[in-house]
Amino acid sequence: MVYGDIGTSPLYAVKETFAPGHGIALSTANVLGGLSAIFWVLVIVVSLKYVVLVMRADNRGEGGTMALIALASTAVRERPAWRRFVIVVGLFGAALFFGEAVLTPAISVVSAVEGLEVGTAAFQPWVLPIAAGVIVGLFLFQRHGTAVVGTLFGPVCLAWFLALGAIGAWNIVRNPVVFEALNPLHALQFVTGHGFSSFVVLGAVLLAFTGAEALYADMGHFGRWPIRAAWFGVVLPGLVLNYFGQGALLIANPKAVENPFFLAVPGWALYPMVALATAATVIASQATITGAYSLARQAIQLGFLPRLNIIQTSARQFGQIYIPAVNWILLALVLAAVFGFGSSTRLASAYGIAVTGTMTITTVLTFFVTYYHWRLPLPLCVFATGFFFAIDIAFFSSALLKTFEGGWFPLALGIAMFVVMTTWRSGRRILFERLTAASVPLTPFLESLFREPPQRVPGTAVFLTATPESTPNALLHNLNHNKVVHEQVVFLTVEVLDQPWVPFDERVRVDRMGHGCLRATVRFGFMNQPDVPKALEIAGGLGLLDYEPMQTSYFLSRETVVPVRGEGGMALWRERLFAALSKNAGNAADYFRLPANRVIELGTKVEI
């Protein structure tokens, strides 16, 4: 899960770094320079930046873009301007990750299947159909969960990295001059000594560290020390040996640049290696798909995406989830990328922008964590993050050169996701403002209601409301139509905090308002599963309220958004987008795990 993406980079990184189109001759000096650049990028960007620095910026053990946004925005809570900047920049980084989640399965699987062409050209017309079949099968399997195939991930990845190292060593023995690439002067010469071509080739070198974000994103699943041990003990040695082995082959046979990875494999091992590479790319694809699910769930919890149907596929592992809407959208976009670009080389042109854009934003957010949260000296924070920022910007700028060659694709996806997330966030804020302005204050309403109380009926009525100081519309409708009030009335507000988990003993707060009415606040972390009945059961066990599941009814207000031209809202097209998102949002009863036979939903129209 952690190393599937970066582990499949040898399939295409060397091939694209030394592509003839860059205008850099395949001399021994240039091959050593390219290998040195790849090696030192792995050391500086992956080992120093992510493994040493960024992985320390955990949000109570959790990593990833959304966790980093929450941590950084909390650190600058007292500085509203910086907080808005952190959220906007972080959201764009999260949006770019969805572009990476589309391109990773496409480029990984296509590059693996292209190995068949090395054996015989007869496979060439079948590369894209076979790749598409593998991808479709992977996405169709998602609804069954990955617990079964997940048990194979570790052994397959271990076999993959051992094979990478063995193939690399086999080629290095025949041409050990490649060890000179450990000298950083070769890298410096390579990235500065060829004029504009040196700048262009950075866009290919960056392919060697695609997937580095996974080390940080998956920290909550495995912990930082196992990830660090695996990186330095298995992954980094296997990658370096393979890259150097491909370089040794290119020095001996420059024509092997057509596909140095598979041409470095002994003839008898070619087809087994294609099969192993395909398995490894499926794991890399699964990692990004799982990452997209997790990111979408965190975005929903933090209020940046509408509610979606989230299916828990494992009773033991919280991270094993399936989101049908995300799954099918990703599948359609991945297939469009496979057939639209048509080869791993063209996909590589598009890949770099999404990767380096996300990494640059991670560096920016890390500065706010180091300075405002860790309170380290400003010069140290500027130097540490500024050093990595300069490297990130160099790679990102080089990747932007490929904008018209395919880089527009992840940019377009990122911008679209950014617009959706900011529109939903702003729309919900405006909606709450409209509801609050038109609502009746709760406390005075209850005082007037119980001066001449309506008939009380047995049981508990739970009114879910996002505005705890206001009277829920569902209560007003219930009184208007049914003329009754339950013996116990709970006005319940769900809050999602900027932290991954909320302990059970801190999850529920209850205030008594008199006349059998209570105001309850249920707090979840952005990694918690929102389960309102379970939270009420906890509150009942603590004696905060009386809770009998079969005597409890849940009342929901469902707002129908009507976009209108007016002041104080969004542009009309954004209001229409928000209305469409709101209409297609998942059911609140399912999202909060409410029992279907205990829910009453009452609607109202709201103009924004």
Side-chain angles (χ1 to χ4, degrees):
M1 179 180 294
V2 177
Y3 295 113
D5 191 357
I6 198 170
T8 53
S9 293
L11 286 167
Y12 44 79
V14 172
K15 174 184 175 182
E16 301 306 323
T17 298
F18 298 110
H22 295 146
I24 299 178
L26 261 181
S27 64
T28 300
N30 287 336
V31 171
L32 292 176
L35 294 179
S36 184
I38 290 175
F39 172 78
W40 286 104
V41 159
L42 291 175
V43 170
I44 294 173
V45 175
V46 183
S47 301
L48 293 182
K49 176 184 171 181
Y50 279 95
V51 177
V52 175
L53 176 62
V54 176
M55 286 182 65
R56 293 186 60 205
D58 66 293
N59 192 333
R60 301 195 181 189
E62 291 295 327
T65 302
M66 282 297 171
L68 190 58
I69 292 173
L71 188 64
S73 62
T74 301
V76 294
R77 180 179 292 136
E78 305 300 324
R79 298 168 174 82
W82 280 124
R83 192 169 191 269
R84 285 192 295 270
F85 173 80
V86 164
I87 291 175
V88 170
V89 170
L91 282 182
F92 192 69
L96 282 176
F97 177 81
F98 285 104
E100 184 177 347
V102 170
L103 290 173
T104 294
I107 190 173
S108 298
V109 175
V110 169
S111 60
V113 178
E114 282 176 345
L116 295 173
E117 297 177 323
V118 175
T120 171
F123 280 111
Q124 185 173 2
W126 297 98
V127 168
L128 294 185
I130 292 173
V134 171
I135 290 168
V136 170
L138 175 63
F139 278 92
L140 288 177
F141 190 81
Q142 295 301 311
R143 67 180 183 272
H144 300 295
T146 58
V148 176
V149 296
T151 58
L152 300 175
F153 282 9
V156 170
C157 272
L158 182 59
W160 171 251
F161 285 113
L162 291 176
L164 288 182
I167 292 169
W170 184 70
N171 284 273
I172 290 171
V173 166
R174 298 190 296 174
N175 206 345
V177 69
V178 292
F179 281 121
E180 293 182 18
L182 296 174
N183 185 343
L185 294 179
H186 286 290
L188 184 63
Q189 172 62 26
F190 185 72
V191 300
T192 60
H194 302 283
F196 187 68
S197 296
S198 293
F199 180 63
V200 173
V201 82
L202 287 178
V205 173
L206 65 85
L207 296 173
F209 57 78
T210 58
E213 282 282 335
L215 279 71
Y216 178 54
D218 289 324
M219 185 169 56
H221 294 287
F222 305 104
R224 66 166 62 95
W225 289 111
I227 292 175
R228 286 172 172 171
W231 170 252
F232 289 112
V234 178
V235 180
L236 182 60
L239 291 176
V240 171
L241 284 173
N242 192 264
Y243 285 131
F244 280 27
Q246 291 186 53
L249 174 66
L250 291 178
I251 291 174
N253 180 18
K255 292 183 179 180
V257 74
E258 295 178 1
N259 198 325
F261 179 84
F262 284 107
L263 289 172
V265 178
W268 59 268
L270 176 61
Y271 292 113
M273 196 62 188
V274 170
L276 183 58
T278 303
T281 57
V282 166
I283 294 173
S285 303
Q286 181 62 60
T288 55
I289 294 169
T290 302
Y293 292 160
S294 298
L295 187 63
R297 177 172 62 184
Q298 293 176 24
I300 292 168
Q301 296 279 70
L302 292 172
F304 295 114
L305 283 177
R307 288 186 301 269
L308 298 173
N309 182 27
I310 301 175
I311 300 172
Q312 190 75 30
T313 60
S314 172
R316 294 185 176 183
Q317 295 192 18
F318 180 74
Q320 296 290 336
I321 60 174
Y322 170 61
I323 305 180
V326 174
N327 189 70
W328 302 125
I329 291 172
L330 278 180
L331 173 59
L333 291 173
V334 170
L335 291 178
V338 167
F339 289 104
F341 288 96
S343 70
S344 61
T345 296
R346 296 181 64 189
L347 282 164
S349 299
Y351 201 21
I353 290 180
V355 173
T356 55
T358 304
M359 296 180 74
T360 302
I361 289 170
T362 295
T363 302
V364 173
L365 297 181
T366 302
F367 167 77
F368 288 95
V369 174
T370 57
Y371 183 57
Y372 290 105
H373 184 62
W374 296 348
R375 300 189 183 282
L376 296 177
L378 180 60
L380 177 61
C381 298
V382 170
F383 173 77
T385 56
F387 173 71
F388 295 121
F389 182 76
I391 295 174
D392 291 337
I393 283 294
F395 281 111
F396 183 61
S397 302
S398 178
L400 284 176
L401 295 175
K402 301 293 183 69
T403 299
F404 297 106
E405 299 177 30
W408 58 268
F409 185 70
L411 278 178
L413 292 178
I415 291 171
M417 280 301 305
F418 181 76
V419 169
V420 167
M421 289 192 288
T422 54
T423 298
W424 180 255
R425 180 81 162 185
S426 299
R428 293 296 294 175
R429 176 182 55 80
I430 295 170
L431 178 62
F432 291 149
E433 290 174 355
R434 297 285 191 272
L435 290 173
T436 302
S439 66
V440 179
L442 180 59
T443 301
F445 173 79
L446 294 178
E447 291 176 355
S448 64
L449 176 67
F450 288 109
R451 288 187 189 127
E452 297 181 10
Q455 181 178 349
R456 308 298 289 265
V457 295
T460 298
V462 178
F463 293 90
L464 273 75
T465 175
T467 52
E469 301 299 328
S470 304
T471 305
N473 286 325
L475 173 60
L476 298 176
H477 288 307
N478 186 52
L479 282 170
N480 185 41
H481 293 290
N482 298 322
K483 318 295 184 185
V484 297
V485 175
H486 287 71
E487 288 179 344
Q488 182 175 242
V489 180
V490 179
F491 301 101
L492 188 144
T493 300
V494 175
E495 294 181 358
V496 178
L497 306 183
D498 290 343
Q499 62 188 60
W501 310 97
V502 174
F504 286 116
D505 58 351
E506 300 177 11
R507 190 161 293 182
V508 185
R509 185 176 67 246
V510 176
D511 298 320
R512 298 188 178 275
M513 306 178 72
H515 307 288
C517 298
L518 305 95
R519 179 185 284 130
T521 302
V522 179
R523 301 184 298 174
F524 297 105
F526 58 78
M527 291 295 291
N528 283 126
Q529 185 72 57
D531 191 328
V532 167
K534 182 68 175 178
L536 293 177
E537 182 181 333
I538 293 171
L542 296 174
L544 300 177
L545 51 80
D546 296 325
Y547 179 67
E548 292 291 338
M550 299 307 298
Q551 297 295 318
T552 301
S553 298
Y554 299 89
F555 291 82
L556 306 179
S557 297
R558 185 174 182 89
E559 298 87 9
T560 300
V561 177
V562 181
V564 296
R565 292 184 181 274
E567 297 181 1
M570 299 181 290
L572 185 60
W573 68 269
R574 293 187 71 193
E575 292 181 353
R576 288 173 175 167
L577 173 60
F578 176 70
L581 293 172
S582 182
K583 181 179 179 180
N584 291 282
N587 187 278
D590 294 335
Y591 184 73
F592 291 118
R593 299 295 187 266
L594 306 181
N597 60 344
R598 310 297 304 174
V599 175
I600 300 95
E601 193 169 25
L602 302 169
T604 184
K605 288 187 176 182
V606 182
E607 294 183 350
I608 64 169

